[in-house]
C-alpha cells in the first residue's frame, strides 16, 4: 500500500485554519445560546422545560455520540466524517433558526449536538496526522487559546446579533449565522484536509451507547419536568436510572472480557485519581453550566439588562478563566497538586454566590459585579485547567485516548445535568420563594461546588507520582 504523500507547510496551515473554524463553530454555538434564552422564551412562548432542553439536549446528544464519533473517523476516514459532521451541524443550525415551535427547536438542537460529536473528534485526530509531536504542542496551545476566546465571544456575539435584529430575525440570527461559516468550513475541508484513517479501527459499541443514553435521559427528563409536577412516569424514570447503569456496567464488562469494542474500559475506574477526576468533571461541569445559565437569564429577566450588556458582562468571567487556566493551573499544579482544585472550587463557590446575590438580592452595579466575575473566573479556570492533568496523571499512555473520551463525555453529561438541576430551581421553585430566583439557585450551585471540593480533597497528595505496578508484575 502506498504511503500518504507528505503535506507542504502551506497545506498544513490551510488545513489547520479549517479545523480552527470548525472548533470555533462548535464552541461559539455552545455559549451563544445562553444570552438568547429570554428572547427565545418570549419568541416561541417556550416553557421552562423546553428552555432547559434547548441547552441540555445539545450537551446530551454531544456526550452520547462523542466516543462513537471518534471511532467512526477511525473506520471511515477523518476527512470524510469531518465533512459529514460539518454538513449536518450547518443544516441543524439552519433548522434551529427556522424553528416555529419549542419542540422543533429542541429537536434541532439535539441534531446539532449529535453532528458536533461527529465533527469534533476528527479535528484532534487530524492534528495527529498533520503535525509531528513537537509541532502539536504549539498548535494545540493555539487551539486552546482560540477555544477560550470563542467561549468568551459567544455570549457577546449573541447579544450583539439580537440587539442589531437584522432583517427582523432577532434571536434566529444566532443560529443562521452558522450557515456561511459552515459552508466555508465544508469547502475548505474538501480542498485542504488530507484523506486519512486509522489502520486499526476500534469498532463500535452502539448497544452500550444506547443503554447509557437511556439511563441519562431517565435522569434528566424528570428534572426538567418540575414545572408540571412529578407523576408516576417521572418518579418511575428516576427509579430505573440505577438499574440501567448497572446493566451498562455488566454489558461493558462482558464485552471487554470477550475482547470486543466497549463503550469504555472499566479497568480505568480502578485508578483512584481517574475515578475521582471523573466525578469532579461531572459535578464541576454541572455547577459551571448551571451558573452560566442562571447568570445570563437573571441579568435580563431580573435586572432588565439588554442581551448585548449581558454578553459583555461575560468578559470578566472569561478573562479570569483564561488567566486561571494559563497561569494559575499551569504554574501551581505541579507544586501544590490537589489543593489547586480545592482552592479553585472554594473561590468559585464564594465569588459565584456573590455574583448571583449581586444580580438579584443585593442589586450590585455592573462595575461592582466585574471584580466578582474575575475572581469567579479565576477559580473556574484554575479548577477546569487542572482536572484533566490530575485525572490522567496515573493512566497508562496506551489508554490515554479512552480516558480522554470518558472525561469529555463526563463533562458534557455533567453540563446537561447542571442545566436540568439549576434550571428547575430557577424557573420553578425559585419563582415563589419571596426572593429573586437567582438567589435561590445559589443553593444548587454551591452544593455542587462543595461536592467538587470534597472529591478534590480526597485525591492522593503525590498525584503525579508514577502509578504502582500491579502485584506480580
Amino acid at each position: 500500500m502506498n504511503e500518504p504523500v507528505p503535506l507542504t507547510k502551506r497545506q498544513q496551515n490551510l488545513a489547520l485554519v479549517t479545523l480552527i473554524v470548525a472548533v470555533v463553530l462548535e464552541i461559539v454555538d455552545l455559549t451563544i445560546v445562553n444570552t438568547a434564552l429570554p428572547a427565545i422564551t418570549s419568541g416561541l412562548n417556550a416553557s421552562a422545560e423546553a428552555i432547559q432542553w434547548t441547552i441540555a439536549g445539545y450537551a446530551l446528544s454531544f456526550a452520547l455520540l462523542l466516543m462513537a464519533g471518534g471511532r467512526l473517523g477511525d473506520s471511515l476516514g477523518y476527512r470524510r466524517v469531518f465533512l459529514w459532521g460539518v454538513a449536518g451541524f450547518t443544516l441543524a443550525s439552519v433548522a434551529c433558526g427556522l424553528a416555529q415551535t419549542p419542540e422543533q427547536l429542541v429537536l434541532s438542537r439535539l441534531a446539532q449536538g449529535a453532528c458536533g460529536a461527529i465533527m469534533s473528534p476528527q479535528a484532534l485526530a487530524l492534528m495527529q496526522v498533520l503535525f509531528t509531536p513537537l509541532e502539536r504542542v504549539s498548535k494545540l496551545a493555539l487551539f486552546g487559546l482560540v477555544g477560550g476566546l470563542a467561549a468568551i465571544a459567544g455570549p457577546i456575539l449573541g447579544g450583539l446579533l439580537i440587539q442589531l435584529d437584522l432583517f427582523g430575525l432577532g434571536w434566529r440570527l444566532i443560529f443562521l449565522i452558522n450557515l456561511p461559516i459552515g459552508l466555508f468550513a465544508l469547502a475548505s475541508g474538501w480542498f485542504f484536509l488530507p484523506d486519512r484513517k486509522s489502520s486499526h479501527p476500534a469498532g463500535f459499541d452502539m448497544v452500550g451507547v444506547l443503554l447509557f443514553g437511556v439511563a441519562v435521559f431517565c435522569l434528566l427528563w424528570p428534572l426538567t419536568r418540575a414545572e408540571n409536577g412529578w407523576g408516576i412516569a417521572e418518579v418511575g424514570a428516576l427509579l430505573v436510572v440505577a438499574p440501567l447503569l448497572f446493566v451498562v456496567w455488566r454489558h461493558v464488562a462482558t464485552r471487554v472480557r470477550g475482547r470486543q469494542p466497549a463503550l469504555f474500559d472499566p479497568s480505568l475506574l480502578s485508578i483512584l485519581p481517574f475515578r475521582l477526576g471523573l466525578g469532579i468533571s461531572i459535578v464541576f461541569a454541572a455547577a459551571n453550566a448551571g451558573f452560566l445559565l442562571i447568570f445570563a437569564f437573571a441579568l435580563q429577566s431580573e435586572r432588565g439588562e439588554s442581551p448585548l450588556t449581558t454578553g459583555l458582562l461575560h468578559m470578566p468571567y472569561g478573562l479570569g478563566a483564561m488567566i486561571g487556566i494559563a497561569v494559575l493551573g499551569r504554574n501551581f499544579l505541579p507544586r501544590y497538586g490537589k489543593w489547586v482544585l480545592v482552592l479553585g472550587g472554594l473561590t468559585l463557590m464564594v465569588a459565584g454566590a456573590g455574583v448571583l446575590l449581586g444580580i438579584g438580592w443585593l442589586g450590585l452595579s455592573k462595575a461592582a459585579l466585574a471584580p466578582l466575575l474575575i475572581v469567579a473566573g479565576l477559580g473556574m479556570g484554575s479548577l477546569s485547567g487542572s482536572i484533566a492533568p490530575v485525572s490522567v496523571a496515573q493512566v497508562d499512555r496506551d489508554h490515554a485516548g479512552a480516558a480522554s473520551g470518558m472525561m469529555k463525555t463526563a463533562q458534557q453529561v455533567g453540563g446537561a445535568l447542571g442545566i436540568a438541576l439549576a434550571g428547575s430551581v430557577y424557573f420553578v421553585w425559585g419563582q415563589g420563594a419571596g426572593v429573586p430566583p437567582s438567589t435561590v439557585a445559589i443553593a444548587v450551585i454551591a452544593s455542587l461546588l462543595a461536592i467538587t471540593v470534597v472529591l478534590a480533597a480526597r485525591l492522593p497528595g503525590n498525584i503525579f507520582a508514577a502509578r504502582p505496578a500491579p502485584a506480580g508484575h
Side-chain angles (χ1 to χ4, degrees), residues 71 203-213 215 242-266:
R71 290 177 175 176
F204 303 94
D205 178 13
M206 293 311 297
V207 174
V209 171
L210 182 62
L211 287 171
F212 183 65
L244 278 172
L245 289 175
F246 179 74
V247 170
V248 170
W249 178 269
R250 291 292 300 271
H251 167 81
V252 168
T254 300
R255 288 184 69 88
V256 169
R257 284 196 299 270
R259 299 186 181 278
Q260 296 175 290
L263 180 63
F264 60 88
D265 185 352

Side-chain angles (χ1 to χ4, degrees), residues 13 42-44 53 89 102 136 222 244 257 277 304 331 377 383 392 417:
N13 289 331
S42 59
L44 292 180
W53 275 106
F89 192 92
R136 275 180 229 139
L244 278 172
R257 284 196 299 270
N331 291 329
L383 183 55
V392 301
L417 179 61

Side-chain angles (χ1 to χ4, degrees), residues 262-296:
L263 180 63
F264 60 88
D265 185 352
S267 66
L268 287 170
L269 297 179
S270 67
I271 306 170
L272 178 62
F274 183 76
R275 189 166 68 244
L276 289 171
L278 212 59
I280 293 169
S281 293
I282 293 172
V283 181
F284 169 67
N288 190 50
F291 171 77
L292 290 175
L293 166 69
I294 293 164
F295 174 63

